[in-house]
Amino acid sequence: MAAALIFSLFMFLILIYSSSVSCDLSSNYYHKTCPQLETAVTEAVEKAMINDKTVPAALLRMHFHDCFIRGCDGSVLLNSKGKHNAEKDGPPNISLHAFYVIDNAKKAVEAMCPGVVSCADILALAARDAVSLSGGPTWDVPKGRKDGRISKATDTRQLPAPTFNISQLQQSFSQRGLSLKDLVALSGGHTLGFSHCSSFQNRIHNFNATLDVDPTMNPSFAASLRSVCPAHNKVKNAGATLDSTTTVFDNVYYKVLLQGKSIFSSDQALLTTPKTKALVSEFASSKAAFEKAFVQSVIKMSSITGGTEIRRDCRRVN
Protein backbone atom coordinates (compact mmCIF):
# COMPACT_ATOMS: atom_id res chain seq x y z
CA MET A 1 0.00 0.00 0.00
CA ALA A 2 2.77 2.43 1.01
CA ALA A 3 4.79 1.55 -2.10
CA ALA A 4 1.77 2.15 -4.31
CA LEU A 5 1.14 5.52 -2.66
CA ILE A 6 4.76 6.58 -3.14
CA PHE A 7 4.66 5.51 -6.79
CA SER A 8 1.41 7.45 -7.36
CA LEU A 9 2.92 10.54 -5.77
CA PHE A 10 6.05 10.16 -7.90
CA MET A 11 4.01 9.94 -11.09
CA PHE A 12 1.95 12.95 -10.04
CA LEU A 13 5.11 15.02 -9.56
CA ILE A 14 6.42 13.89 -12.95
CA LEU A 15 3.12 14.97 -14.52
CA ILE A 16 3.25 18.37 -12.84
CA TYR A 17 6.84 18.91 -14.00
CA SER A 18 6.22 17.78 -17.56
CA SER A 19 3.17 20.04 -17.84
CA SER A 20 5.35 23.02 -16.97
CA VAL A 21 7.80 22.40 -19.80
CA SER A 22 6.13 23.18 -23.08
CA CYS A 23 6.83 21.14 -26.21
CA ASP A 24 4.68 23.42 -28.36
CA LEU A 25 6.86 26.53 -28.53
CA SER A 26 8.02 27.58 -31.98
CA SER A 27 9.88 30.55 -33.40
CA ASN A 28 7.23 30.67 -36.16
CA TYR A 29 4.24 30.38 -33.83
CA TYR A 30 2.70 33.71 -34.92
CA HIS A 31 4.01 33.66 -38.48
CA LYS A 32 0.50 33.68 -39.95
CA THR A 33 -1.61 35.02 -37.09
CA CYS A 34 0.51 38.08 -36.15
CA PRO A 35 3.42 38.56 -38.58
CA GLN A 36 4.34 42.08 -37.34
CA LEU A 37 4.53 41.05 -33.68
CA GLU A 38 8.28 41.27 -33.23
CA THR A 39 8.52 44.64 -34.96
CA ALA A 40 5.88 46.07 -32.64
CA VAL A 41 7.64 44.81 -29.51
CA THR A 42 11.04 46.05 -30.66
CA GLU A 43 9.64 49.50 -31.39
CA ALA A 44 8.12 49.70 -27.90
CA VAL A 45 11.46 48.79 -26.29
CA GLU A 46 13.43 51.19 -28.49
CA LYS A 47 11.07 54.06 -27.72
CA ALA A 48 11.32 53.46 -23.98
CA MET A 49 15.12 53.31 -24.10
CA ILE A 50 15.32 56.81 -25.56
CA ASN A 51 14.23 58.35 -22.27
CA ASP A 52 15.31 55.67 -19.79
CA LYS A 53 18.62 53.82 -20.11
CA THR A 54 17.63 51.45 -17.29
CA VAL A 55 14.83 49.85 -19.34
CA PRO A 56 16.93 46.96 -20.76
CA ALA A 57 18.10 45.84 -17.31
CA ALA A 58 14.55 46.15 -15.99
CA LEU A 59 13.03 44.02 -18.76
CA LEU A 60 15.67 41.30 -18.54
CA ARG A 61 15.27 41.05 -14.75
CA MET A 62 11.48 41.05 -15.10
CA HIS A 63 11.67 38.09 -17.49
CA PHE A 64 13.94 36.11 -15.13
CA HIS A 65 11.68 36.80 -12.15
CA ASP A 66 8.64 35.75 -14.15
CA CYS A 67 10.14 32.45 -15.30
CA PHE A 68 11.46 31.44 -11.85
CA ILE A 69 8.04 31.29 -10.17
CA ARG A 70 5.59 29.22 -12.26
CA GLY A 71 7.44 29.28 -15.52
CA CYS A 72 7.27 32.10 -18.06
CA ASP A 73 3.55 32.84 -17.82
CA GLY A 74 3.46 36.62 -17.39
CA SER A 75 2.33 36.28 -13.75
CA VAL A 76 4.85 38.95 -12.70
CA LEU A 77 2.84 41.46 -14.77
CA LEU A 78 -0.42 41.04 -12.84
CA ASN A 79 -1.54 43.77 -10.45
CA SER A 80 -2.45 43.18 -6.85
CA LYS A 81 -6.18 43.30 -6.17
CA GLY A 82 -7.81 44.13 -2.86
CA LYS A 83 -6.10 42.23 -0.07
CA HIS A 84 -4.39 39.90 -2.54
CA ASN A 85 -0.78 40.88 -3.20
CA ALA A 86 0.60 39.80 -6.56
CA GLU A 87 4.20 38.84 -7.39
CA LYS A 88 5.18 42.36 -8.39
CA ASP A 89 4.52 43.46 -4.78
CA GLY A 90 6.64 40.70 -3.20
CA PRO A 91 9.83 41.99 -1.48
CA PRO A 92 12.29 40.86 -4.22
CA ASN A 93 10.12 42.50 -6.91
CA ILE A 94 9.40 45.88 -5.33
CA SER A 95 12.23 47.41 -7.37
CA LEU A 96 11.00 45.97 -10.69
CA HIS A 97 9.94 48.69 -13.11
CA ALA A 98 9.25 49.43 -16.79
CA PHE A 99 5.98 47.49 -16.79
CA TYR A 100 4.65 50.26 -19.02
CA VAL A 101 6.90 49.00 -21.83
CA ILE A 102 5.03 45.69 -21.88
CA ASP A 103 1.72 47.56 -21.68
CA ASN A 104 2.66 49.69 -24.69
CA ALA A 105 3.82 46.68 -26.69
CA LYS A 106 0.65 44.78 -25.82
CA LYS A 107 -1.51 47.72 -26.90
CA ALA A 108 0.24 47.87 -30.26
CA VAL A 109 -0.01 44.11 -30.75
CA GLU A 110 -3.69 44.01 -29.78
CA ALA A 111 -4.42 46.69 -32.37
CA MET A 112 -2.95 44.42 -35.04
CA CYS A 113 -3.85 40.95 -33.75
CA PRO A 114 -6.51 41.09 -31.02
CA GLY A 115 -6.58 38.16 -28.62
CA VAL A 116 -3.74 36.30 -30.32
CA VAL A 117 -0.44 37.01 -28.53
CA SER A 118 0.21 36.27 -24.85
CA CYS A 119 1.76 38.78 -22.47
CA ALA A 120 4.30 36.10 -21.57
CA ASP A 121 5.51 35.97 -25.18
CA ILE A 122 5.67 39.76 -25.36
CA LEU A 123 7.82 39.82 -22.21
CA ALA A 124 10.14 37.12 -23.61
CA LEU A 125 10.55 39.13 -26.82
CA ALA A 126 11.11 42.38 -24.93
CA ALA A 127 13.85 40.72 -22.84
CA ARG A 128 15.55 39.54 -26.03
CA ASP A 129 15.35 43.06 -27.47
CA ALA A 130 16.69 44.50 -24.21
CA VAL A 131 19.83 42.41 -24.70
CA SER A 132 20.30 42.94 -28.44
CA LEU A 133 19.62 46.70 -28.29
CA SER A 134 22.27 46.97 -25.57
CA GLY A 135 24.98 45.50 -27.76
CA GLY A 136 24.41 41.85 -26.91
CA PRO A 137 23.38 38.88 -29.06
CA THR A 138 19.99 38.30 -30.61
CA TRP A 139 18.12 35.02 -31.02
CA ASP A 140 14.92 33.49 -32.32
CA VAL A 141 12.55 33.46 -29.37
CA PRO A 142 10.42 30.30 -29.20
CA LYS A 143 6.81 31.47 -28.87
CA GLY A 144 3.45 30.03 -27.94
CA ARG A 145 3.40 30.61 -24.18
CA LYS A 146 0.11 31.13 -22.39
CA ASP A 147 -0.56 33.59 -19.59
CA GLY A 148 -1.08 32.42 -16.03
CA ARG A 149 -3.94 33.39 -13.74
CA ILE A 150 -2.10 32.95 -10.42
CA SER A 151 0.25 35.55 -8.95
CA LYS A 152 1.17 35.55 -5.26
CA ALA A 153 3.62 37.85 -3.51
CA THR A 154 4.53 35.03 -1.11
CA ASP A 155 5.79 32.95 -4.03
CA THR A 156 8.63 35.41 -4.64
CA ARG A 157 10.44 33.71 -1.77
CA GLN A 158 11.29 31.08 -4.38
CA LEU A 159 13.53 33.53 -6.26
CA PRO A 160 17.29 33.08 -5.83
CA ALA A 161 18.53 35.78 -3.47
CA PRO A 162 21.66 37.94 -3.90
CA THR A 163 22.91 36.50 -0.60
CA PHE A 164 22.77 32.85 -1.79
CA ASN A 165 25.83 30.61 -1.65
CA ILE A 166 26.68 28.16 -4.43
CA SER A 167 24.71 25.28 -2.89
CA GLN A 168 21.57 27.38 -2.61
CA LEU A 169 22.02 28.67 -6.15
CA GLN A 170 22.56 25.20 -7.57
CA GLN A 171 19.45 23.90 -5.81
CA SER A 172 17.33 26.81 -7.04
CA PHE A 173 18.42 26.39 -10.64
CA SER A 174 18.30 22.59 -10.68
CA GLN A 175 14.70 22.67 -9.45
CA ARG A 176 13.92 24.44 -12.71
CA GLY A 177 15.92 22.05 -14.87
CA LEU A 178 18.85 24.45 -15.19
CA SER A 179 22.49 23.39 -14.88
CA LEU A 180 25.57 24.96 -13.31
CA LYS A 181 26.53 26.25 -16.75
CA ASP A 182 23.10 27.85 -17.07
CA LEU A 183 23.64 29.42 -13.64
CA VAL A 184 26.94 31.00 -14.63
CA ALA A 185 25.70 32.09 -18.06
CA LEU A 186 22.46 33.61 -16.80
CA SER A 187 24.31 35.40 -13.99
CA GLY A 188 25.94 37.31 -16.83
CA GLY A 189 22.68 39.23 -17.06
CA HIS A 190 24.15 41.26 -14.20
CA THR A 191 26.21 43.02 -16.86
CA LEU A 192 23.16 45.30 -17.08
CA GLY A 193 21.74 47.16 -14.15
CA PHE A 194 21.98 48.66 -10.69
CA SER A 195 21.55 47.38 -7.15
CA HIS A 196 20.33 49.14 -4.04
CA CYS A 197 22.55 48.97 -0.96
CA SER A 198 20.26 46.53 0.84
CA SER A 199 21.19 43.74 -1.58
CA PHE A 200 24.90 43.82 -0.74
CA GLN A 201 25.12 45.35 2.74
CA ASN A 202 25.98 41.89 4.06
CA ARG A 203 29.34 42.03 2.25
CA ILE A 204 30.47 45.50 3.36
CA HIS A 205 29.18 45.78 6.94
CA ASN A 206 29.29 43.19 9.75
CA PHE A 207 30.32 40.43 7.34
CA ASN A 208 30.93 38.00 10.21
CA ALA A 209 31.89 37.95 13.87
CA THR A 210 35.48 39.04 13.19
CA LEU A 211 35.41 40.89 9.85
CA ASP A 212 33.43 43.93 8.80
CA VAL A 213 34.04 43.41 5.06
CA ASP A 214 34.00 40.26 2.93
CA PRO A 215 37.74 39.44 2.51
CA THR A 216 37.15 38.20 -1.05
CA MET A 217 36.19 41.73 -2.09
CA ASN A 218 38.81 44.09 -3.53
CA PRO A 219 39.64 46.47 -0.62
CA SER A 220 39.44 49.70 -2.63
CA PHE A 221 36.21 48.56 -4.27
CA ALA A 222 34.76 47.70 -0.87
CA ALA A 223 35.76 51.13 0.43
CA SER A 224 33.98 52.82 -2.47
CA LEU A 225 30.81 50.82 -1.77
CA ARG A 226 30.99 51.66 1.94
CA SER A 227 31.17 55.36 1.11
CA VAL A 228 28.01 55.10 -0.99
CA CYS A 229 26.27 52.71 1.41
CA PRO A 230 27.17 53.53 5.03
CA ALA A 231 26.09 51.13 7.77
CA HIS A 232 22.94 53.07 8.58
CA ASN A 233 22.19 54.31 5.11
CA LYS A 234 19.05 56.46 4.87
CA VAL A 235 19.32 57.46 1.21
CA LYS A 236 16.41 55.67 -0.46
CA ASN A 237 17.93 55.04 -3.91
CA ALA A 238 21.59 54.67 -2.94
CA GLY A 239 23.46 51.79 -4.52
CA ALA A 240 25.91 50.76 -7.20
CA THR A 241 26.01 49.55 -10.78
CA LEU A 242 26.57 45.83 -11.31
CA ASP A 243 29.62 46.31 -13.51
CA SER A 244 31.56 49.20 -15.06
CA THR A 245 29.61 49.17 -18.36
CA THR A 246 26.15 49.03 -16.86
CA THR A 247 24.17 49.90 -20.01
CA VAL A 248 26.15 47.62 -22.34
CA PHE A 249 25.57 43.88 -22.60
CA ASP A 250 29.11 42.49 -22.61
CA ASN A 251 31.35 40.14 -20.63
CA VAL A 252 32.81 42.79 -18.28
CA TYR A 253 30.75 41.32 -15.43
CA TYR A 254 32.98 38.23 -15.45
CA LYS A 255 36.17 40.29 -15.63
CA VAL A 256 35.29 42.39 -12.58
CA LEU A 257 34.17 39.24 -10.77
CA LEU A 258 37.67 37.80 -11.13
CA GLN A 259 39.07 41.10 -9.83
CA GLY A 260 37.07 40.88 -6.59
CA LYS A 261 34.74 43.67 -7.70
CA SER A 262 31.43 41.85 -7.85
CA ILE A 263 28.44 43.23 -5.94
CA PHE A 264 26.46 40.25 -4.66
CA SER A 265 27.38 37.25 -2.54
CA SER A 266 25.72 35.18 -5.28
CA ASP A 267 28.21 36.59 -7.79
CA GLN A 268 31.21 35.79 -5.62
CA ALA A 269 29.76 32.30 -5.06
CA LEU A 270 30.48 31.47 -8.71
CA LEU A 271 34.17 31.37 -7.83
CA THR A 272 33.77 28.79 -5.07
CA THR A 273 33.67 25.60 -7.16
CA PRO A 274 36.19 24.52 -9.81
CA LYS A 275 33.51 24.09 -12.50
CA THR A 276 31.80 27.44 -12.03
CA LYS A 277 35.12 29.27 -11.63
CA ALA A 278 36.38 27.74 -14.89
CA LEU A 279 33.23 28.95 -16.67
CA VAL A 280 33.66 32.46 -15.22
CA SER A 281 37.24 32.51 -16.54
CA GLU A 282 36.12 31.23 -19.95
CA PHE A 283 33.41 33.87 -20.29
CA ALA A 284 35.75 36.61 -19.03
CA SER A 285 38.26 35.78 -21.75
CA SER A 286 35.74 35.27 -24.58
CA LYS A 287 32.69 37.45 -25.21
CA ALA A 288 31.66 35.06 -27.98
CA ALA A 289 31.69 32.08 -25.60
CA PHE A 290 29.59 34.01 -23.08
CA GLU A 291 27.06 35.12 -25.69
CA LYS A 292 26.65 31.61 -27.07
CA ALA A 293 26.12 30.15 -23.60
CA PHE A 294 23.78 32.95 -22.54
CA VAL A 295 21.54 32.49 -25.58
CA GLN A 296 21.34 28.73 -25.01
CA SER A 297 20.54 29.17 -21.34
CA VAL A 298 17.98 31.96 -21.70
CA ILE A 299 16.09 29.95 -24.34
CA LYS A 300 16.17 26.94 -22.02
CA MET A 301 14.88 29.00 -19.10
CA SER A 302 12.21 30.80 -21.10
CA SER A 303 10.85 27.50 -22.45
CA ILE A 304 9.52 26.56 -19.00
CA THR A 305 5.83 27.48 -19.26
CA GLY A 306 2.60 26.99 -17.40
CA GLY A 307 -0.14 29.45 -18.39
CA THR A 308 -3.67 28.82 -19.61
CA GLU A 309 -5.00 31.92 -21.41
CA ILE A 310 -4.20 34.86 -23.69
CA ARG A 311 -4.67 37.94 -21.53
CA ARG A 312 -6.30 40.99 -23.10
CA ASP A 313 -4.70 43.22 -20.45
CA CYS A 314 -1.30 42.18 -19.12
CA ARG A 315 -2.12 43.55 -15.66
CA ARG A 316 -5.38 41.60 -15.22
CA VAL A 317 -6.68 38.08 -15.82
CA ASN A 318 -9.49 37.73 -18.32
Side-chain angles (χ1 to χ4, degrees):
M1 180 68 177
L5 181 61
I6 292 172
F7 179 77
S8 296
L9 178 59
F10 175 76
M11 293 305 295
F12 175 75
L13 293 173
I14 290 293
L15 178 62
I16 291 295
Y17 177 76
S18 62
S19 68
S20 69
V21 182
S22 173
C23 297
D24 299 326
L25 301 185
S26 166
S27 60
N28 297 319
Y29 191 85
Y30 299 110
H31 181 67
K32 294 182 179 179
T33 56
C34 198
Q36 297 303 311
L37 163 63
E38 299 203 23
T39 299
V41 175
T42 302
E43 288 178 352
V45 176
E46 286 179 323
K47 184 176 181 180
M49 286 176 62
I50 293 173
N51 297 315
D52 187 353
K53 301 301 182 184
T54 69
V55 161
L59 293 174
L60 186 57
R61 183 167 177 245
M62 192 186 300
H63 183 43
F64 286 171
H65 283 214
D66 182 38
C67 295
F68 262 72
I69 302 298
R70 284 185 176 79
C72 313
D73 65 349
S75 56
V76 74
L77 305 172
L78 289 169
N79 283 347
S80 297
K81 185 176 181 180
K83 295 182 179 180
H84 174 77
N85 288 327
E87 287 173 32
K88 64 169 59 173
D89 290 320
N93 286 343
I94 291 295
S95 59
L96 288 181
H97 67 286
F99 292 101
Y100 73 92
V101 181
I102 306 303
D103 293 335
N104 291 343
K106 177 66 170 175
K107 183 178 180 180
V109 172
E110 284 294 302
M112 298 185 302
C113 323
V116 171
V117 182
S118 68
C119 298
D121 276 343
I122 289 174
L123 178 52
L125 288 166
R128 186 273 310 274
D129 291 338
V131 170
S132 62
L133 292 171
S134 299
T138 190
W139 61 91
D140 286 332
V141 175
K143 295 172 285 291
R145 297 166 189 80
K146 297 295 189 294
D147 295 320
R149 295 178 58 84
I150 301 172
S151 184
K152 299 178 181 179
T154 53
D155 286 343
T156 60
R157 289 176 293 192
Q158 301 172 27
L159 293 169
T163 55
F164 272 12
N165 60 35
I166 194 64
S167 296
Q168 292 169 312
L169 289 169
Q170 184 174 10
Q171 181 180 26
S172 178
F173 275 66
S174 65
Q175 286 173 346
R176 293 155 178 86
L178 299 171
S179 67
L180 278 177
K181 185 173 184 179
D182 296 322
L183 164 62
V184 179
L186 292 173
S187 294
H190 289 168
T191 187
L192 297 175
F194 172 91
S195 171
H196 292 105
C197 298
S198 58
S199 293
F200 56 87
Q201 284 278 20
N202 66 303
R203 297 190 72 198
I204 59 174
H205 298 291
N206 301 312
F207 177 69
N208 60 28
T210 57
L211 295 171
D212 204 26
V213 177
D214 184 344
T216 63
M217 186 176 279
N218 178 286
S220 61
F221 181 65
S224 69
L225 292 181
R226 284 165 62 90
S227 68
V228 174
C229 302
H232 302 290
N233 173 58
K234 295 183 180 180
V235 180
K236 183 178 180 181
N237 293 317
T241 57
L242 300 184
D243 78 12
S244 57
T245 56
T246 187
T247 61
V248 180
F249 193 93
D250 53 26
N251 64 334
V252 169
Y253 161 80
Y254 298 102
K255 296 178 180 181
V256 299
L257 176 53
L258 290 172
Q259 296 167 7
K261 297 179 181 179
S262 62
I263 295 290
F264 302 135
S265 295
S266 59
D267 294 325
Q268 179 62 30
L270 301 183
L271 300 180
T272 60
T273 75
K275 182 173 182 178
T276 53
K277 185 175 182 179
L279 286 166
V280 169
S281 297
E282 179 185 356
F283 297 159
S285 63
S286 173
K287 184 171 183 282
F290 162 52
E291 290 185 346
K292 180 180 179 181
F294 181 85
V295 167
Q296 292 173 340
S297 295
V298 78
I299 290 175
K300 185 177 177 181
M301 178 196 74
S302 70
S303 296
I304 305 171
T305 63
T308 58
E309 67 180 18
I310 303 296
R311 243 181 263 147
R312 292 186 292 272
D313 182 336
C314 291
R315 294 175 181 258
R316 298 170 181 83
V317 298
N318 290 341

